Amino acid sequence: MKLHHLLMAKPWIWSFAATITVWIVTVLFTGGASSFGLSQAALTFAAFSVVVGIGQMFVITLGPGNIDLSVPATMTLSGTLALKLMDVQDGMIVVGLLASIGIGLIIGIGNYVLIKALRIPPIIATLSMSFIVQSVAIWSNRGLRIKPPETLADFATSSLFGIPNVALVALILSIAAWVLLEKSIYGRWISAIGQSTFAARMAGIPVDGTRLVTYMLCAVLASVCGYLLASFSGGAALNMGSEYLLMSIAVVVIGGTAVAGGNSNIPGIWGASLFMFLVVSMLNTYGFGAGFRLILTGLIIIAVILLAGGRQSLR
Amino acid sequence: MKLSSGTIRLIIPAASLVLLLAAVFYMQPRAMSYTGLNLLFNLAVPIALATIAQMLIMSVNDLDLSMGTFVSFCACVSATFLQSSPALGILIFLGAIAAYALIGVVIYVRDLPSIVVTLGMSFVWGGLAVLILPSPGGTAPTWARWLMTAKPPLVPMAIVASILIAAVTHCIVMRSSFGVLMRGVGGNDRSVERAGWSVLGLRAATYALAGFFAVLAGIALVGLTTSADANIALRYTLLSIAGVILGGGQFVGGKVSPIGAVIGALTLTLAGSFLSFMRISPDWQIGAQGAILIVVLALRLALNRLEKREKSQ
């Protein structure tokens, strides 16, 4: 009974258990040869999902219907414009980062203006916004592939004590997000809004301000992720964000955050991000074709939800 | 004459469609003909069917994020199995519809978030589509091709089909007792259960019906394009959700409108043609589509205010 209680209290344990299982299965198959390389690759690619996942988690915590579909477009625009601005000069790295944060802030404000002023459901508001953002990215990119500054590219692709730098950045951001969520008044506010917006408003919580800040935070994390991803992969591409739309939602939910809002979970995002990457690489090592890989990925997502599910949900 | 609130909710989608159509005719008067209209609305038929499917799911407060991959999967089956061995093709479709019913049951029994389950299913359908057609190809069944390219007198096929879809689904959703119960589940499933109905059965039936309309969307799409591809309809997930919302439907509460959903789908299709007539640079086409979506929804807000004012009087 005690174990059962522990599992219920810490839903993120599921995603870590699944991750470790998949890791062991993959390493066993390759005879232990790949354990270091696999772990490094998993940490690197999970880091990007973690950064966008945290932003999406804050938004989902706000309650039913809150979701940000503009994440991929934001990543693309921020990566494109930041690289264009830096123009391969090392001295411009900080300026580029600030520019991408600025882009995130503008998109976040835009999203919330649509949601609040036009009362458009967030899913449609952020979708319309993402169309516009994507257009700006296409217009500014023009098919050119600008390389990131040398120092920045080195930073994004190298590691410190065996841990990839991007994973360290994601870790720092996660700790900051955890403090924000668990220890600050803002974190209490978003959980309260997610549990009952009406009660939160009655309790005197500035609901609109909190929601605005949350959408801005999500967009800023997405644009920082775009900046890192563009530096890591040696240039921005127009479709670089596309796989992160479903990924950002999947890692949040598999990680044990309640889809109905009001209850979020940061360690779970790490577990789920590592899990999602490892599942794909496990199926790759077993030599499955693209079709089977997709089918198994889908079935595994559903299986994890079935095992960990049964909590309150948005239906 | 006093208008019901349902009719009022239909005015804005209809008005925005007419306005957009007028703008297209103004810019390209030659579109004001049988062939012109057919070309403008041709692609709307599969989108309208997918939107109806999404609307059914939304009427029980769920959301289907696998709509696009499922329609792609159905298109792949139509272009291969349904064409070469119709019996097997129909069997696969029945299996897919049963899978939809099963998803509806699982979501309800285990109290799972529909967004995540359908997200997982989108990978499954996508994988199956890739297995069936690893590269674009296949041939449309002759009857599907004939149906989609038929030229009825006076009114183009696309319009006839849209009206037919709207009328049939209106009867199912708004006029039949099943439709009332289905929307009741979206409104308050506990009271439906207390009244002695099986919510489980109703949800399974709703999902199966949605699967059926999505299958039709896949067949219609292949009838138009003559061949299929595993990624042919990925846009449909977001298009179908946007279509339902444009047509006055809501995410929760079982408030949906089949006629509105079809009009929403037509509006979205027309928005694409409108932009190409405007000679907007291709860079900005997607962005302009987003802007049109925002403008129409802003109009709806204005109308909702009007509706409320009338009610309070």
Side-chain angles (χ1 to χ4, degrees):
Chain A
M1 241 23 250
K2 207 176 168 190
L3 181 73
H4 180 78
H5 189 77
L6 185 75
L7 283 179
M8 282 299 126
K10 301 200 185 314
W12 50 267
I13 286 179
W14 288 105
S15 59
F16 275 97
T19 306
I20 293 168
T21 318
V22 176
W23 188 85
I24 291 173
V25 170
T26 317
V27 169
L28 278 183
F29 184 77
T30 53
S34 65
S35 57
F36 182 70
L38 180 70
S39 313
Q40 268 221 327
L43 281 174
T44 308
F45 285 97
F48 298 118
S49 318
V50 166
V51 175
V52 286
I54 291 173
Q56 192 72 268
M57 182 200 71
F58 276 106
V59 170
I60 288 177
T61 308
L62 284 176
N66 282 294
I67 203 158
D68 189 348
L69 296 185
S70 66
V71 163
T74 308
M75 286 174 70
T76 309
L77 182 65
S78 128
T80 313
L81 286 187
L83 288 195
K84 206 169 181 180
L85 187 68
M86 290 188 283
D87 201 21
V88 212
Q89 295 163 39
D90 280 345
M92 296 288 280
I93 291 175
V94 178
V95 182
L97 181 62
L98 290 178
S100 76
I101 291 176
I103 292 165
L105 288 175
I106 293 169
I107 295 173
I109 294 173
N111 275 336
Y112 195 66
V113 164
L114 289 182
I115 294 168
K116 183 66 190 171
L118 298 184
R119 306 230 188 116
I120 304 178
I123 196 169
I124 301 290
T126 53
L127 175 68
S128 320
M129 192 66 187
S130 87
F131 284 161
I132 295 170
V133 172
Q134 184 77 21
S135 263
V136 179
I138 294 172
W139 168 74
S140 64
N141 181 298
R142 291 261 166 228
L144 291 175
R145 198 172 172 89
I146 303 171
K147 278 206 164 82
E150 194 86 17
T151 323
L152 185 61
D154 283 346
F155 170 78
T157 46
S158 57
S159 19
L160 188 70
F161 308 121
I163 300 171
N165 284 338
V166 282
L168 290 174
V169 171
L171 187 66
I172 293 168
L173 288 174
S174 318
I175 293 171
W178 185 82
V179 171
L180 198 60
L181 187 69
E182 304 286 339
K183 303 288 169 200
S184 78
I185 181 78
Y186 164 76
R188 301 290 93 190
W189 280 349
I190 61 169
S191 297
I193 292 171
Q195 280 156 20
S196 167
T197 311
F198 182 73
R201 189 164 274 145
M202 288 294 118
I205 294 173
V207 173
D208 289 323
T210 312
R211 292 179 70 192
L212 169 66
V213 169
T214 310
Y215 276 93
M216 282 161 68
L217 188 66
C218 178
V220 166
L221 283 171
S223 57
V224 169
C225 182
Y227 173 84
L228 285 175
L229 185 60
S231 317
F232 173 79
S233 47
L238 281 177
N239 61 351
M240 64 185 237
S242 56
E243 69 175 292
Y244 287 91
L245 174 58
L246 294 185
M247 191 61 93
S248 69
I249 303 170
V251 297
V252 171
V253 182
I254 293 177
T257 294
V259 189
N263 184 11
S264 37
N265 193 319
I266 289 177
I269 290 185
W270 274 92
S273 303
L274 290 167
F275 172 71
M276 290 297 284
F277 175 79
L278 285 171
V279 164
V280 175
S281 52
M282 174 182 80
L283 298 174
N284 269 333
T285 33
Y286 278 90
F288 284 112
F292 277 113
R293 211 161 59 218
L294 283 170
I295 296 172
L296 285 173
T297 312
L299 291 180
I300 289 171
I301 293 178
I302 295 175
V304 170
I305 290 298
L306 272 175
L307 274 177
R311 294 185 301 274
Q312 50 164 318
S313 59
L314 163 82
R315 274 194 289 112
Chain B
M1 198 182 90
K2 204 163 160 25
L3 294 168
S4 73
S5 68
T7 320
I8 292 180
R9 218 175 294 134
L10 271 182
I11 290 177
I12 268 288
S16 48
L17 178 64
V18 170
L19 201 70
L20 208 53
L21 198 60
V24 168
F25 285 160
Y26 175 75
M27 273 181 300
Q28 188 56 270
R30 265 176 293 176
M32 215 179 336
S33 65
Y34 187 94
T35 339
L37 278 175
N38 206 17
L39 283 174
L40 280 178
F41 286 114
N42 232 343
L43 279 171
V45 178
I47 297 177
L49 287 165
T51 308
I52 290 290
Q54 185 71 260
M55 183 205 72
L56 290 168
I57 305 267
M58 276 164 76
S59 74
V60 291
N61 291 1
D62 283 359
L63 205 57
D64 187 357
L65 293 187
S66 65
M67 190 55 72
T69 47
F70 183 67
V71 174
S72 306
F73 162 77
C74 293
C76 288
V77 173
S78 312
T80 52
F81 293 108
L82 195 63
Q83 196 263 334
S84 53
S85 48
L88 183 61
I90 291 169
L91 214 61
I92 293 176
F93 281 145
L94 288 179
I97 291 171
Y100 251 81
L102 184 70
I103 297 165
V105 168
V106 168
I107 288 174
Y108 176 69
V109 172
R110 295 281 298 163
D111 201 14
L112 298 174
S114 64
I115 292 183
V116 191
V117 178
T118 53
L119 194 68
M121 284 313 290
S122 76
F123 285 96
V124 175
W125 300 125
L128 288 171
V130 170
L131 282 185
I132 295 172
L133 270 182
S135 56
T139 327
T142 10
W143 54 269
R145 181 92 195 114
W146 173 82
L147 199 65
M148 293 311 290
T149 52
K151 288 198 172 16
L154 296 175
V155 189
M157 185 60 196
I159 311 272
V160 175
S162 302
I163 292 172
L164 203 66
I165 295 166
V168 169
T169 48
H170 182 78
C171 286
I172 297 175
V173 176
M174 309 306 275
R175 298 275 158 183
S176 77
S177 58
F178 167 73
V180 173
L181 286 170
M182 184 181 80
R183 289 181 288 133
V185 171
N188 187 342
D189 58 352
R190 281 185 57 166
S191 60
V192 173
E193 186 126 49
R194 293 260 165 90
W197 302 94
S198 154
V199 174
L200 189 73
L202 284 169
R203 292 180 62 95
T206 306
Y207 266 77
L209 198 61
F212 172 71
F213 277 104
V215 166
L216 291 186
I219 298 175
L221 184 58
V222 167
L224 284 173
T225 58
T226 68
S227 67
D229 161 27
N231 299 323
I232 191 166
L234 293 190
R235 298 179 312 132
Y236 281 27
T237 306
L238 297 176
L239 274 180
S240 63
I241 298 174
V244 177
I245 299 297
L246 269 183
Q250 289 184 0
F251 283 106
V252 288
K255 280 190 183 171
V256 292
S257 153
I259 298 178
V262 172
I263 293 177
L266 292 178
T267 311
L268 283 175
T269 321
L270 200 59
S273 318
F274 175 70
L275 294 175
S276 45
F277 283 137
M278 288 263 288
R279 303 235 173 93
I280 289 183
S281 117
D283 292 358
W284 294 102
Q285 292 240 351
I286 318 172
Q289 220 152 4
I292 289 183
L293 212 56
I294 293 172
V295 169
V296 172
L297 288 167
L299 283 174
R300 207 182 91 180
L301 171 74
L303 194 91
N304 281 351
R305 291 229 170 110
L306 211 70
E307 189 186 343
K308 264 192 200 128
R309 201 173 305 153
E310 267 179 27
K311 266 187 191 162
S312 60
Q313 267 172 9

